[in-house]
Amino acid sequence: MPEVTLRRDMSTDLALNRQVVGACPHDCPDTCSLVTTVVDGKAIKVQGNPHHPQTDGVLCTKVARYTERTYHPQRLLQPLKRTGPKGSGQFAAVSWESAIADICARLHTIVGDPNQGPQAVLPYSYAGTMGWVQSEGMAARFFNRMGASLLDYTICASAGGAGLAHTLGANVGMAVEQFANAKLILIWGSNPITSSVHFWRYAQEAKRKGALLVCIDPRKTETAEKCHSHIALLPGTDAALALAMMHELVVHDWLDHDYLSNYTVGWEALRERALQWPPSRAAQVCGITVQEIEVLARDYGQTCQSGQAAAIRLNYGMQRSRGAANAVRAVTCLPALAGAWRHAAGGMLLSSSGARSYNKTVLQHPELRPPGPMRTINMSTIGDDLLRPASAAFGPAISALVVYNSNPVAVAPDSSQVARGFAREDLFTVVLEHFQTDTADYADYVLPATTQLEHWDIHTTYGHTDLLLNEPAIAPLGQSRSNAAIFRALAKGMGYTNACFEEDDLTLCKSALRGRLDFAALARDGFATLPQSDAPFAKGNFPTPSGRCELWSERLADMGWDGLPDYLPNYESAGSISTYPLAMISPPARNFMNSTFVNVQSLRDMEEKPSLEIHPQDAQAREITDGTLVRVFNDRGQYHCVAKISNRARPGVVNGLGVWWRKLGARGTNVNELTNQKLTDLGRAPTFYDCVVQVERAENF
Ligand SMILES: Nc1nc2c(c(=O)[nH]1)N[C@H]1C(S)=C(S)[C@@H](COP(=O)(O)OP(=O)(O)OC[C@H]3O[C@@H](n4cnc5c(=O)[nH]c(N)nc54)[C@H](O)[C@@H]3O)O[C@H]1N2
Ligand SMILES: Nc1nc2c(c(=O)[nH]1)N[C@H]1C(S)=C(S)[C@@H](COP(=O)(O)OP(=O)(O)OC[C@H]3O[C@@H](n4cnc5c(=O)[nH]c(N)nc54)[C@H](O)[C@@H]3O)O[C@H]1N2
Ligand code: SF4
Ligand SMILES: [Mo]
């Protein structure tokens, strides 16, 4: 743990030598409290705050190198205007005044044109920063006032969110620290050693105290290797596994009948469905053995029957296939069947974001929107939508795009289609960024944004329930401005005179709290822990319409579903299309955060080259040896990378790790060349891991 003695003087003199408490802005469930040491106005190191229990003085490798990213020689430090063809990355520096004036003139023309109008303008953003102020604080005010199209934020978590909403009622679950007290932990569709190291710390504590850890993941991850057992099911088959577990709970009577009758809805119907799923049927679907299912169900059922805590850490792996929300629903039913919720260390956790009483929409001023219906564009189908012509159903074609906190040309599915959309000559694109990303290459204007060390923000989390303040440690580098400052300048340039466009970033932080929490108290420590009840669902009290855990959902039945969770086969499964016999998943790389950090040399060195893990059997059949350059392809595109022959891949499934920048990969492509724009059952989310490919040797890089 680092030696950190906090000197909190709350001075705004950024040149002081001091330690400043902030919050990690990244899309990671851990939301760490950061301590930045500043010497002569320069940040010299970023460490984990030892006083924040969830952080416990430890950061992941990526953010421990934050100064390398912040002071990167290629940081964007002045506004840029495109001088070459779209995508070529040729730009010239311009002044802020001329950039803002020209951007506003272009937007005015589009907004005022009866054939285009405000809804021809689309904001595109995601979780580059999860802060309230620098994500949708000022930006949403600006686009609401304009009347721009709305963006449907689906790229990551909306399928799981829909699954939870129709089962537990909201994004709620057990307290993350309680995993340390569990006797059995199922780590299901999650690789916490890569993606949530602070959760992994709780799991290890439980392991030291004798807990059994089981990992359910098609890939033999670092996490799977450290668990007692690993079930390598085929991608997208989790609902079948959960239904077979229910089958075993029923036939062995490892059920909590009292819990089922008092705190659930629809048990009789779900019981019938579960009885249709003997382990032999699920084993076939999941590509695993009957015994693996029987042992898993027995461990789960008997742990709960003996009054001990069984906890499920469910995460994002299963949310990226067609049947995503149904799979989340099926797994989420298990704790209710076995009565696991009775124990503070039992139940499940996917996301805790619904547990807090704060609501970031207070910042967004939706009342600024013009009257009438708003058009919503799904961020996961941006490839197709950018190429869609105007029509009665779609509305105006997208004429202008303002991208911030996201790198869609790299991270959105079916990326060659996305790049075709961005390449449209008649599309006016503005990108707010730290770096010249694949997306920035297609911009007409690139505007330099501050990083977390340079601006104020407020953070809530989806892995625990604390609230954090991010105080700037250093002055903005070069001419960079915070996103909020950029949108304030754009608002002024557009002639928007509403008082809310006057608020500075610190005022935005304060107004976000709206009297629910004292700002000075939050500023003192940099974080506040919200009170949480132990075993919140021990006696039902679920935030569903019925107040019960909805095994059968009336709301889903009203939408035309059968109301029960079911297994929905993938759009594309291993072996279903003979030309593309391998399933491919593309989970995160350990040293990148989605596509962030790919340009940080020391982290890229650790990831080496874009790679594809392939099982020895599948490699041998294709005469592929370790380190061979391979071409991975399907009807959507092709991706060149290095083969890693490895038992991390199961037979029939290849793993294309990480979201590389296309221009830093081989031949300007990344793994999203292969993924598709089809959506999940509920939640309108992408199906990145519902993908089939063929692999062959390639000649050269
Ligand atoms: N280092 C690092 N950390 C990150 C990120 C990153 O890019 N890098 N990304 C952040 C973001 S945006 C998110 S959403 C979270 C994700 O957080 P997690 O979901 O906890 O972590 P992942 O590493 O994505 O793990 C998902 C696992 O699911 C597996 N999987 C794939 N398909 C299936 C399936 O059908 N069923 C099951 N059971 N498992 C499957 C994958 O092999 C992978 O190991 O992590 C965050 N943290
Ligand atoms: N194949 C495949 N594709 C995936 C995934 C996968 O598992 N497989 N995962 C998906 C998931 S879970 C997610 S969440 C998405 C993530 O997609 P994105 O949210 O687009 O995430 P990043 O790639 O990290 O890009 C964030 C960008 O925001 C910029 N940024 C950070 N802070 C600021 C700021 O304060 N101001 C401005 N203006 N910019 C800032 C960063 O420099 C970075 O370029 O990717 C998805 N894509
Ligand atoms: S990315 Fe996650 S683990 Fe790393 S510092 Fe940020 S919150 Fe902590
Ligand atoms: Mo995500």
Side-chain angles (χ1 to χ4, degrees), residues 159-203:
L164 284 187
H166 291 101
T167 317
L168 305 182
N171 282 355
V172 290
M174 50 184 290
V176 66
E177 53 274 18
Q178 283 290 349
F179 277 89
N181 303 321
K183 268 286 162 228
L184 170 68
I185 303 181
L186 309 187
I187 299 179
W188 200 326
S190 175
N191 179 14
I193 292 184
T194 277
S195 303
S196 177
V197 287
H198 296 80
F199 162 78
W200 179 244
R201 188 192 43 172
Y202 295 125

Side-chain angles (χ1 to χ4, degrees), residues 114-355:
N115 293 323
Q116 301 181 81
Q119 302 211 36
V121 180
L122 178 70
Y124 194 102
S125 64
Y126 201 65
T129 169
M130 302 229 305
W132 290 21
V133 172
Q134 308 305 345
S135 59
E136 306 313 325
M138 196 49 79
R141 294 177 184 190
F142 176 77
F143 292 110
N144 281 332
R145 170 69 180 75
M146 177 182 284
S149 286
L150 300 172
L151 187 73
D152 199 0
Y153 295 93
T154 55
I155 204 153
C156 176
S158 59
L164 284 187
H166 291 101
T167 317
L168 305 182
N171 282 355
V172 290
M174 50 184 290
V176 66
E177 53 274 18
Q178 283 290 349
F179 277 89
N181 303 321
K183 268 286 162 228
L184 170 68
I185 303 181
L186 309 187
I187 299 179
W188 200 326
S190 175
N191 179 14
I193 292 184
T194 277
S195 303
S196 177
V197 287
H198 296 80
F199 162 78
W200 179 244
R201 188 192 43 172
Y202 295 125
Q204 276 182 304
E205 191 181 330
K207 192 177 172 193
R208 279 195 297 276
K209 293 193 281 194
L212 182 72
L213 269 53
V214 182
C215 183
I216 304 172
D217 193 315
R219 177 170 183 250
K220 191 194 245 183
T221 59
E222 311 87 310
T223 306
E225 282 173 334
K226 294 211 159 48
C227 288
H228 296 96
S229 62
H230 171 215
I231 299 179
L233 79 184
L234 287 166
T237 62
D238 302 86
L241 177 58
L243 286 162
M245 284 176 73
M246 293 181 203
H247 177 279
E248 294 299 281
L249 298 183
V250 172
V251 301
H252 297 283
D253 198 23
W254 292 320
L255 296 165
D256 186 332
H257 295 281
D258 182 58
Y259 196 94
L260 282 167
S261 60
N262 289 317
Y263 308 128
T264 69
V265 180
W267 168 235
E268 276 312 311
L270 182 59
R271 186 176 177 280
E272 292 309 308
R273 165 92 19 112
L275 286 172
Q276 295 164 18
W277 280 95
S280 53
R281 180 177 175 199
Q284 282 264 307
V285 169
C286 302
I288 55 179
T289 66
V290 169
Q291 204 201 2
E292 283 177 294
I293 301 175
E294 288 172 347
V295 171
L296 175 68
R298 186 200 63 206
D299 288 339
Y300 189 73
Q302 291 188 345
T303 303
C304 295
Q305 286 284 298
S306 65
Q308 293 182 310
I312 303 177
R313 179 58 168 150
L314 180 61
N315 239 324
Y316 295 86
M318 78 182 66
Q319 294 190 35
R320 319 236 181 273
S321 294
R322 176 184 166 219
N326 266 276
V328 168
R329 250 172 76 58
V331 176
T332 303
C333 289
L334 290 167
L337 267 61
W341 289 116
R342 290 184 187 278
H343 212 298
M348 57 85 64
L349 177 65
L350 165 55
S351 166
S352 60
S353 67

